[in-house]
Amino acid sequence: MSLGTIHERIVSDPANSWAKDLGYAPLYAAGACARIAVIGQAPGRKAQESGIAWNDASGIKLLQWLGVSETQFRNPELFALLPMDFYYPGKGTGGDLPPRKDFAARWHPQLLELMPEIRLTILIGQYAQQHYLAGRAKRNLTETVHAFEEYLPATIPLVHPSPLNFRWQAHNPWFVVDLLPVLQEYVAAALS
């Protein structure tokens, strides 16, 4: 199986027909030589409509946190961008709806199997952390992110880089002081 074949299967999957009817393409990036996998929640409305992953204020902040250029980040031979759902899930009462529970379990293993060069996996937000750190995640997102050293060298959990998380960052100064330098060091090493 190839990455292209998997893409075709995602597009033609009846479970995604609603997205196809809306004109949405699956929003992810995967390259056979990718070295870093960024696992996020699901595309936001703006990103889905533009067809470019992380094409919003959160993406700008994420690039700063990673210490990489947009050219590097958009290169699928360097970064695999695999949200927990490849389609914008819609709006709920408290913000965007969560990603579908079965989506990542179905498609991520097939894609990751074809990307054997992944050296670092960055888990952004509670959905990615609960899925990939099953049984190893802490009581909540803050505790999981704070314990980031426990998941090294292969994995780093992050809070979502949304501008709406400014209060969280203000209450957790260790994130910028302790975690971000380590994140940038590991990203640079994985890309070298």
Side-chain angles (χ1 to χ4, degrees):
M1 188 168 325
S2 70
L3 291 169
T5 301
I6 295 171
H7 182 84
E8 290 170 12
R9 289 182 178 180
I10 293 167
V11 170
S12 63
D13 187 327
N16 301 325
S17 62
W18 64 272
K20 190 174 182 180
D21 292 345
L22 291 171
Y24 291 168
L27 197 53
Y28 72 99
C33 298
R35 297 181 193 143
I36 298 174
V38 176
I39 316 283
Q41 180 170 312
R45 181 189 51 79
K46 183 178 178 184
Q48 184 73 69
E49 290 174 355
S50 73
I52 301 171
W54 294 97
N55 186 28
D56 53 20
S58 297
I60 293 169
K61 178 64 81 176
L62 179 59
L63 292 176
Q64 292 170 353
W65 287 357
L66 298 173
V68 298
S69 69
E70 183 156 2
T71 301
Q72 289 173 300
F73 187 70
R74 303 276 173 219
N75 182 347
E77 296 303 320
L78 297 178
F79 283 91
L81 308 177
L82 302 175
M84 294 298 289
D85 193 331
F86 299 163
Y87 298 96
Y88 172 59
K91 201 79 168 156
T93 55
D96 290 345
L97 292 170
R100 291 173 285 174
K101 292 183 186 217
D102 61 340
F103 192 91
R106 180 167 182 199
W107 298 108
H108 283 198
Q110 295 179 56
L111 291 165
L112 289 167
E113 184 178 337
L114 297 175
M115 295 186 285
E117 302 298 321
I118 297 289
R119 301 172 184 170
L120 178 65
T121 300
I122 299 169
L123 302 174
I124 300 175
Q126 68 175 342
Y127 298 108
Q129 291 164 19
Q130 288 170 356
H131 181 80
Y132 279 91
L133 298 177
R136 298 185 320 150
K138 306 301 179 191
R139 279 186 316 146
N140 58 47
L141 179 134
T142 300
E143 289 182 15
T144 301
V145 174
H146 196 253
F148 71 94
E149 291 175 317
E150 291 182 25
Y151 308 109
L152 294 173
T155 305
I156 298 180
L158 296 180
V159 66
H160 196 282
S162 168
L164 299 176
N165 280 340
F166 67 93
R167 284 190 187 91
W168 184 93
Q169 291 179 53
H171 291 298
N172 297 282
W174 52 265
F175 180 76
V176 171
V177 174
D178 299 330
L179 190 152
L180 289 187
V182 173
L183 172 67
Q184 292 177 4
E185 176 186 329
Y186 274 79
V187 165
L191 295 177
S192 64

